[in-house]
Amino acid sequence: MNKTEQFLQLKGIRVTAMRILIYNFLSEKKVTVTLSDIENAFDKADRTTLYRTIKTFEDKEIVHQIDDGTGVTKYALCEPNCHCDLNTDLHLHFHCTQCGATVCLTDHKIPKIKVPNGYIAEHVNLVVKGICDKCSVK
Amino acid sequence: MNKTEQFLQLKGIRVTAMRILIYNFLSEKKVTVTLSDIENAFDKADRTTLYRTIKTFEDKEIVHQIDDGTGVTKYALCEPNCHCDLNTDLHLHFHCTQCGATVCLTDHKIPKIKVPNGYIAEHVNLVVKGICDKCSVK
DNA sequence: TAAAATAATGCACTTCCATTGCATTGATTA
DNA sequence: TAATCAATGCAATGGAAGTGCATTATTTTA
Ligand SMILES: [Mn+2]
Ligand SMILES: [Mn+2]
Ligand SMILES: [Zn+2]
Ligand SMILES: [Zn+2]
């Protein structure tokens, strides 16, 4: 049993071929991926299975969702010390309008946001759009 | 010719019955609205017309879009000194998870966000989720 | 180990929202 | 008034997310 399999088991989910494949696919990626990206990478597999696999990963805090405003949900592996559940230590996300890539800026935390009296802030989503490092040097 | 009609003409679009109605509907609202909200308010009108009216308003910077992460696009009238085009003076948006309302916090500007070297920030979308003032007092 | 229980997968179908083509109606201008 | 151009209405499309149910695989337990 290798690292990936051990990790999945530790997270309390059954270790299946599909889950290992998807997990490894995500860990090789430097950027966030959509369900379609996964579909294209595993065209033999059914979309529903991929969809449910990613949902399971989400539930178990293996991946987190990113809503970058493009209308398509992006996913990325959580960092070892990620606390998606607690909504603390939230990093920001960057969407490149040139190449379309969305990346986690894991060590750029979201600053404290002030809200008016009476409002209770529970969660913050912050997406910066612009040109990424790879596109800006071209 | 009243205020609304003058305003629309000033923005360089034809003054039609539908546009006046939708503009007034938006200006009476304290919160952002969805296309469905407008549909429900004007059930005699065709959805496409409402859709295109709001798109025209957007192009002419009469309204701005808000993506609050619910998956449905919200719209709100721009403030008199709104610069949606320049991406300057961006205010933040608040989405109440209790009543579902999304509001513009027009005098809560988005703080300067640092991005890594090589990245060029052009636009920032910031949505705070939580409990709004009306819901928190209940 | 075999049977029973539980979870994962695959297929078909649905829902929701955004968007477009095209014909028609209405407004503006020459 | 006729010609022109924009707004409206209808029908259809497309993309993405989500669900019900039968089948297959994995795990439990007797
Ligand atoms: Mn992230
Ligand atoms: Mn706003
Ligand atoms: Zn890029
Ligand atoms: Zn509320």
Side-chain angles (χ1 to χ4, degrees):
Chain A
M1 195 181 260
N2 68 22
K3 288 260 177 202
T4 301
E5 298 178 42
Q6 277 181 337
F7 176 78
L8 294 178
Q9 195 156 71
L10 204 78
K11 286 287 184 174
I13 60 171
R14 288 192 186 171
V15 179
T16 69
M18 208 63 250
R19 287 174 177 175
I20 297 171
L21 285 170
I22 296 181
Y23 181 86
N24 288 336
F25 175 74
L26 289 170
S27 61
E28 284 159 16
K29 288 277 170 184
K30 295 282 175 295
V31 295
T32 64
V33 299
T34 65
L35 193 58
S36 306
D37 291 335
I38 306 176
E39 260 186 272
N40 294 334
F42 303 101
D43 49 1
K44 294 152 291 182
D46 187 76
R47 214 181 49 82
T48 315
T49 305
L50 303 176
Y51 172 75
R52 286 183 174 140
T53 301
I54 218 80
K55 282 290 164 206
T56 304
F57 282 5
E58 239 192 297
D59 288 348
K60 300 295 176 179
E61 277 148 35
I62 297 167
V63 304
H64 63 275
Q65 256 196 25
I66 299 110
D67 177 5
D68 61 9
T70 57
V72 203
T73 309
K74 309 283 171 75
Y75 301 93
L77 280 190
C78 291
E79 294 286 299
N81 53 353
C82 175
H83 297 290
C84 308
D85 51 331
L86 300 171
N87 290 334
T88 105
D89 121 321
L90 290 164
H91 57 269
L92 60 96
H93 294 106
F94 189 94
H95 173 71
C96 178
T97 51
Q98 181 129 24
C99 67
T102 295
V103 292
C104 296
L105 299 181
T106 38
D107 36 49
H108 284 67
K109 303 304 178 202
I110 295 177
K112 255 269 164 288
I113 304 294
K114 279 203 194 77
V115 289
N117 269 346
Y119 287 77
I120 303 162
E122 287 173 348
H123 186 91
V124 178
N125 184 33
L126 201 162
V127 178
V128 180
K129 297 188 189 220
I131 311 293
C132 78
D133 55 344
K134 290 191 185 66
C135 290
S136 68
V137 293
K138 279 173 195 159
Chain B
M1 195 183 258
N2 68 24
K3 288 260 179 204
T4 303
E5 298 178 40
Q6 278 181 334
F7 177 78
L8 294 178
Q9 196 158 68
L10 204 80
K11 286 287 184 174
I13 60 170
R14 287 196 186 166
V15 179
T16 69
M18 209 62 250
R19 286 174 179 175
I20 297 169
L21 286 170
I22 297 181
Y23 181 85
N24 288 335
F25 176 74
L26 289 170
S27 60
E28 284 158 17
K29 288 277 170 185
K30 296 280 175 295
V31 296
T32 65
V33 299
T34 65
L35 193 59
S36 307
D37 292 334
I38 305 177
E39 261 186 271
N40 294 335
F42 305 100
D43 49 0
K44 295 152 290 183
D46 187 76
R47 218 177 51 83
T48 316
T49 305
L50 304 175
Y51 172 75
R52 284 180 176 142
T53 301
I54 218 79
K55 282 290 165 206
T56 304
F57 283 5
E58 239 192 298
D59 288 347
K60 301 295 176 177
E61 276 148 34
I62 296 167
V63 304
H64 64 274
Q65 255 195 27
I66 298 110
D67 177 5
D68 62 8
T70 56
V72 204
T73 309
K74 309 283 170 76
Y75 301 93
L77 280 190
C78 291
E79 294 287 298
N81 54 352
C82 174
H83 297 289
C84 308
D85 51 331
L86 300 171
N87 290 333
T88 105
D89 122 321
L90 291 165
H91 57 267
L92 61 95
H93 294 106
F94 189 94
H95 174 72
C96 178
T97 50
Q98 181 129 24
C99 66
T102 297
V103 292
C104 297
L105 299 180
T106 38
D107 36 49
H108 284 66
K109 303 304 178 202
I110 296 177
K112 254 275 160 285
I113 304 295
K114 279 203 193 75
V115 289
N117 269 346
Y119 286 77
I120 303 163
E122 286 172 349
H123 186 91
V124 178
N125 183 35
L126 201 162
V127 178
V128 180
K129 296 189 190 220
I131 311 294
C132 78
D133 55 345
K134 290 190 187 67
C135 290
S136 69
V137 292
K138 279 171 197 160

